[in-house]
Amino acid sequence: MKYKFDNTITFEDYTALREAVGWRKISKRQFELGLKNAHYIAVVKNDNNRGIGIIKGLGDGGYYWLLSDLIVHPDYQGLGFGRKLVEGFLKHVDVSAEKGENLHITLASSKGKEPFYEKFGFKTRPFAEGIQGAGMSMNYEKI
């Protein structure tokens, strides 16, 4: 089986990936805006050209980056695709900076996936370093 990396994914493939890992559904409008406003997108596709993995990077283009939506379909986990997606994102972030600049990269790990990210140098928060508090997130539904 052959795999390729590019930066496009269909709404159907993205929705299937989210569903396969137990993430909530989003609308097609949210999907389109999310891709449009991302600074970085990489997608792994199988030989049927179906998206089997994705990563998005968001940020202000200067100092702050958010690693968002790292998803690899469970049938393809453990094959190195997640690692390659994160490495590509971190290379993109590195290229965006000039020598001597400091950047902040954050993410919200799925429960139990923290050791995967620690391999890249991410630290689980809270940790006793500087002024940082606990990592936090909020799910909001407009009614």
Side-chain angles (χ1 to χ4, degrees), residues 2-14:
K2 295 182 181 181
Y3 303 95
K4 68 177 182 176
F5 288 80
D6 70 22
N7 63 355
T8 62
I9 190 165
T10 65
F11 175 67
E12 292 74 22
D13 283 354
Y14 183 72

Side-chain angles (χ1 to χ4, degrees), residues 32-84:
E32 290 170 352
L33 286 169
L35 291 185
K36 176 184 166 191
N37 292 314
H39 284 268
Y40 179 83
I41 299 167
V43 178
V44 183
K45 294 184 178 178
N46 64 16
D47 54 2
N48 293 325
N49 208 37
R50 299 292 311 260
I52 59 167
I54 186 171
I55 191 170
K56 288 192 321 187
L58 310 171
D60 61 14
Y63 163 75
Y64 183 82
W65 287 91
L66 171 66
L67 186 159
S68 171
D69 290 6
L70 175 61
I71 310 169
V72 176
H73 191 284
D75 292 346
Y76 298 91
Q77 291 179 5
L79 301 176
F81 295 123
R83 177 183 49 79
K84 288 180 182 179

